[in-house]
């Protein structure tokens, strides 16, 4: 299975910053949006952010709005999640995901290609 590849996770202090990266293989076709999800221990995977195919539209969960920024670099085949002013509740495994074909919506079920995840732990 061809998967997205996330990196950039680690241990950070409350209030600090972290940037997650996602490599998007060219073999994953007909992508219409890219997104980030996260899953904390004992909780279900939840939507964090998404960016449209054109990059002009961005969507954020209320819990991260104003603190996180999703972006893309088509030339480098990368998608990023800039995390600022992190909080302990941001601790989770973060997943990069691709929405493909005719899928719409920002729920987990709308994204068909996923990475293995990268752990983000916020101390304090």
């Amino acid at each position: 299975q061809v998967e997205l590849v996330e990196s950039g996770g680690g241990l950070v202090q409350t209030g600090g910053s972290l940037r997650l990266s996602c490599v998007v293989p060219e073999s994953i076709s007909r992508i219409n949006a890219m997104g980030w999800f996260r899953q904390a221990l004992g909780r279900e995977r939840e939507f964090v952010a998404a960016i449209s195919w054109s990059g002009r539209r961005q969507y954020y969960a209320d819990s991260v709005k104003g603190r996180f920024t999703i972006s893309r670099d088509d030339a480098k085949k990368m998608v990023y999640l800039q995390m600022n002013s992190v909080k302990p509740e941001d601790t989770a495994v973060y997943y990069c995901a691709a929405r493909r074909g005719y899928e719409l919506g920002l729920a987990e079920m709308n994204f068909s290609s996923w990475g293995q995840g990268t752990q983000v732990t916020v101390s304090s």
Side-chain angles (χ1 to χ4, degrees):
Q1 179 184 2
V2 178
E3 297 181 329
L4 301 165
V5 182
E6 307 99 331
S7 63
L11 176 65
V12 295
Q13 297 179 17
T14 295
S17 297
L18 201 65
R19 189 175 80 161
L20 306 184
S21 300
C22 174
V23 178
V24 185
E26 291 190 77
S27 58
I28 300 179
S29 62
R30 293 188 288 278
I31 297 172
N32 62 40
M34 294 296 302
W36 287 95
F37 291 75
R38 67 186 182 187
Q39 185 169 18
L41 284 175
R43 306 194 71 84
E44 292 190 323
R45 191 173 298 181
E46 65 175 348
F47 169 78
V48 175
I51 187 167
S52 65
W53 72 271
S54 67
R56 301 194 203 107
R57 298 281 184 90
Q58 299 172 22
Y59 308 89
Y60 299 94
D62 290 340
S63 60
V64 306
K65 197 169 187 177
R67 299 188 298 118
F68 292 6
T69 303
I70 187 171
S71 62
R72 62 160 62 184
D73 185 335
D74 292 337
K76 295 182 178 180
K77 305 167 187 175
M78 302 284 287
V79 179
Y80 306 96
L81 183 68
Q82 179 65 46
M83 305 168 62
N84 295 331
S85 302
V86 296
K87 305 174 181 179
E89 54 259 45
D90 293 322
T91 295
V93 175
Y94 283 72
Y95 299 89
C96 181
R99 194 178 70 185
R100 306 171 62 198
Y102 303 105
E103 291 286 342
L104 297 174
L106 301 175
E108 178 182 355
M109 63 179 290
N110 299 122
F111 291 75
S112 58
S113 295
W114 297 81
Q116 290 294 304
T118 184
Q119 177 72 48
V120 172
T121 302
V122 182
S123 64
S124 185

